[in-house]
Amino acid sequence: MPRERSTTRKAKAAETRAALLEAARRLFSERGYLNTKITDITAAAGRATGSFYEHFASKEELLTALLAELEDAVDAHVVAMEHPREHDLTDRDQLRDHLAAAWTVMRDNRPVAVALFQAMVADDPGSGRAWRDLREQTRTIREHLEYLVERGHRLPGDPELVAAAIGAMLLTLNYALLKTPDSPDDDRVVETLTDFTLHGLAGPPAPSQSVRPPDAPPAAPTTA
Amino acid sequence: MPRERSTTRKAKAAETRAALLEAARRLFSERGYLNTKITDITAAAGRATGSFYEHFASKEELLTALLAELEDAVDAHVVAMEHPREHDLTDRDQLRDHLAAAWTVMRDNRPVAVALFQAMVADDPGSGRAWRDLREQTRTIREHLEYLVERGHRLPGDPELVAAAIGAMLLTLNYALLKTPDSPDDDRVVETLTDFTLHGLAGPPAPSQSVRPPDAPPAAPTTA
DNA sequence: GTCTATACCAGGATAGAC
DNA sequence: GTCTATCCTGGTATAGAC
């Protein structure tokens, strides 16, 4: 009789590994990645310090494992979508869907989002890691923007830069709003970011093609 | 004869203090705030470890001093401007001036910008520091946006949130672009951020009221 | 594979002579 | 005020028994 209570004797290791990952998630979310020590993780997992190194060489490696899990989950979720680059981000619904997806992933995986963001910023500024991470995480957006440019659309600037700007906004705002209480609810944030990204401060052109009712007053005239 | 070579015996302390600050600036800029240890600073300043504590109680306090210097400089620079909140950020020139000012300050004070940003992110996510810092640093923008709303302009969302989004974009993009080589030049970045903030991805309304020549093709039609 | 125990070091901070 | 010397903590990582 191989495994009865999920313990094939040897597969018990996987249990410890899982416990460590789970504890890490909890602590990363609460105290943050940088302030969580390896000893904190093992203690929270009810394991000895030494056991940690049987599974991970370092905290960074554990984070990598966490990230791999996340990517698997995301892949499984997007498996049916294919996600070609032929999306028109100047279409409000499509834009909102993209931003909402990004936002939801960050919210549903708070520990990883926190850890990645902190790790990105903690590295030496000259290392270029921040830029690299930002580029990677905005790949999809960038490709969509490049597609727009190819179709003749005029963007505010280089797609790479614009995509990075949007990503910077998303990542940092998400992090800042993690504070436990009274954050604006996710829907409102996504709607705001959508409208801002789509039309900026100036607001939509004359005939409101947004979802909003037409009771919005016109743009303010110039001032001092 | 009081001071001959800037050493009144006792005023020599100020020299050490300045040396520490200067060394800290250099190291913060190169290795970042988090990776710079107090011993690194004293070593770089050619002083003994113990001397540090004669001037600052901690690294954080040194950062505060650095920040105070910066604010003095900024104040002196803006002294003639008064800077009332009656600015219209939907006016491209005014918007660009604001963004350019923020960008220039960050670029001209790289060490402080790095340190503040890292310190903000390194704190526990639940502490709310990130949100607090973000709010403080976007106070001016927020006030301008509130002014717009009072005048009847329709923003993409709550002024506080929109201001924070803009600030998040600026701070993080600045940090990411600090990597020494091949960053796009500051002018291009500011222009891009201006256009994005003003009109978003959709671009300006039909009759181009932006600076750009009218050779820009129309917005891309809808697609799959 | 997991535990206990411990070596080890980086770094913060202080004591006390000059 | 600045130095040298040192203490002491927290945290990483390993050794070796079970």
Side-chain angles (χ1 to χ4, degrees):
Chain A
M1 55 191 83
R3 45 193 161 97
E4 270 296 331
R5 288 181 66 98
S6 77
T7 46
T8 330
R9 271 140 229 178
K10 147 190 179 181
K12 202 169 196 177
E15 222 167 271
T16 294
R17 188 189 148 96
L20 290 172
L21 288 171
E22 183 50 36
R25 264 190 284 263
R26 233 192 56 218
L27 294 174
F28 289 173
S29 179
E30 291 170 5
R31 324 179 182 176
Y33 173 75
L34 297 175
N35 290 330
T36 297
K37 309 307 171 187
I38 290 179
T39 49
D40 297 333
I41 298 174
T42 53
R47 298 301 199 286
T49 310
S51 296
F52 181 91
Y53 297 92
E54 194 66 32
H55 299 277
F56 311 100
S58 63
K59 203 171 62 168
E60 292 75 40
E61 199 179 288
L62 183 149
L63 176 54
T64 304
L66 235 36
L67 184 58
E69 282 190 346
L70 170 59
E71 281 172 347
D72 286 352
V74 171
D75 285 354
H77 204 266
V78 191
V79 72
M81 295 191 57
E82 257 295 317
H83 208 87
R85 52 182 250 139
E86 284 77 29
H87 278 163
D88 178 10
L89 291 190
T90 64
D91 176 70
R92 191 181 188 283
D93 288 337
Q94 294 186 43
L95 176 60
R96 195 202 54 234
D97 285 349
H98 279 77
L99 295 180
W103 193 261
T104 304
V105 168
M106 289 192 295
R107 290 283 148 169
D108 290 349
N109 300 277
R110 169 171 169 140
V112 185
V114 167
L116 284 179
F117 191 64
Q118 286 195 325
M120 172 177 94
V121 175
D123 260 37
D124 297 10
S127 73
R129 169 168 182 170
W131 176 250
R132 204 174 330 115
D133 284 8
L134 200 53
R135 275 208 75 206
E136 281 173 19
Q137 296 190 39
T138 53
R139 209 195 73 244
T140 302
I141 295 182
R142 183 173 65 252
E143 288 173 354
H144 289 334
L145 294 183
E146 286 165 349
Y147 166 75
L148 280 179
V149 170
E150 284 171 22
R151 297 205 42 138
H153 183 73
R154 188 83 143 101
L155 284 180
D158 183 20
E160 184 175 50
L161 183 57
V162 175
I166 296 174
M169 187 173 66
L170 285 171
L171 289 177
T172 305
L173 206 54
N174 171 66
Y175 189 80
L177 290 178
L178 283 180
K179 60 178 186 4
T180 25
D182 66 89
S183 301
D185 62 283
D186 294 349
D187 278 352
R188 283 199 42 234
V189 174
V190 170
E191 292 299 317
T192 296
L193 292 180
T194 299
D195 283 335
F196 177 71
T197 303
L198 188 59
H199 288 127
L201 298 180
S208 172
Q209 62 185 48
S210 85
V211 178
R212 291 228 174 80
D215 60 19
T222 62
T223 316
Chain B
M1 57 191 82
R3 44 193 161 97
E4 270 297 333
R5 287 182 66 100
S6 77
T7 46
T8 329
R9 274 142 228 173
K10 147 191 178 181
K12 202 168 194 177
E15 222 167 89
T16 294
R17 188 189 149 95
L20 290 172
L21 287 171
E22 183 50 36
R25 263 189 284 264
R26 233 191 59 218
L27 293 175
F28 288 175
S29 179
E30 290 171 5
R31 322 178 184 177
Y33 172 75
L34 297 176
N35 291 329
T36 297
K37 310 306 172 189
I38 291 180
T39 48
D40 296 334
I41 298 175
T42 52
R47 300 299 199 286
T49 311
S51 296
F52 181 91
Y53 297 93
E54 194 65 33
H55 299 276
F56 311 99
S58 63
K59 203 170 63 166
E60 293 75 42
E61 198 178 291
L62 183 148
L63 176 54
T64 304
L66 234 36
L67 184 57
E69 282 190 344
L70 170 59
E71 281 172 348
D72 287 351
V74 170
D75 284 353
H77 203 264
V78 192
V79 71
M81 296 191 57
E82 258 295 317
H83 209 90
R85 53 182 248 139
E86 284 76 29
H87 277 162
D88 178 11
L89 291 191
T90 64
D91 176 69
R92 192 180 186 284
D93 287 337
Q94 294 186 42
L95 176 61
R96 193 202 54 236
D97 285 350
H98 278 77
L99 296 179
W103 193 261
T104 304
V105 168
M106 291 191 294
R107 289 283 148 170
D108 289 349
N109 300 277
R110 169 172 170 140
V112 185
V114 168
L116 285 179
F117 190 64
Q118 286 196 325
M120 172 178 94
V121 175
D123 261 36
D124 296 10
S127 73
R129 168 166 184 174
W131 176 249
R132 203 175 329 116
D133 284 8
L134 200 53
R135 275 209 76 206
E136 281 174 18
Q137 295 189 38
T138 53
R139 210 195 72 247
T140 302
I141 295 183
R142 183 174 63 252
E143 288 173 355
H144 288 334
L145 293 183
E146 286 165 349
Y147 166 75
L148 279 179
V149 170
E150 285 170 22
R151 296 206 40 138
H153 183 73
R154 189 83 144 101
L155 284 181
D158 182 20
E160 184 174 50
L161 184 56
V162 175
I166 297 174
M169 185 173 68
L170 284 172
L171 289 177
T172 304
L173 205 55
N174 171 65
Y175 190 80
L177 291 177
L178 284 179
K179 61 179 185 5
T180 26
D182 67 88
S183 301
D185 62 283
D186 294 348
D187 278 352
R188 283 199 41 235
V189 175
V190 170
E191 292 299 317
T192 297
L193 292 180
T194 300
D195 283 334
F196 177 70
T197 302
L198 187 58
H199 288 128
L201 297 180
S208 171
Q209 64 186 48
S210 84
V211 177
R212 292 228 174 83
D215 60 19
T222 62
T223 314

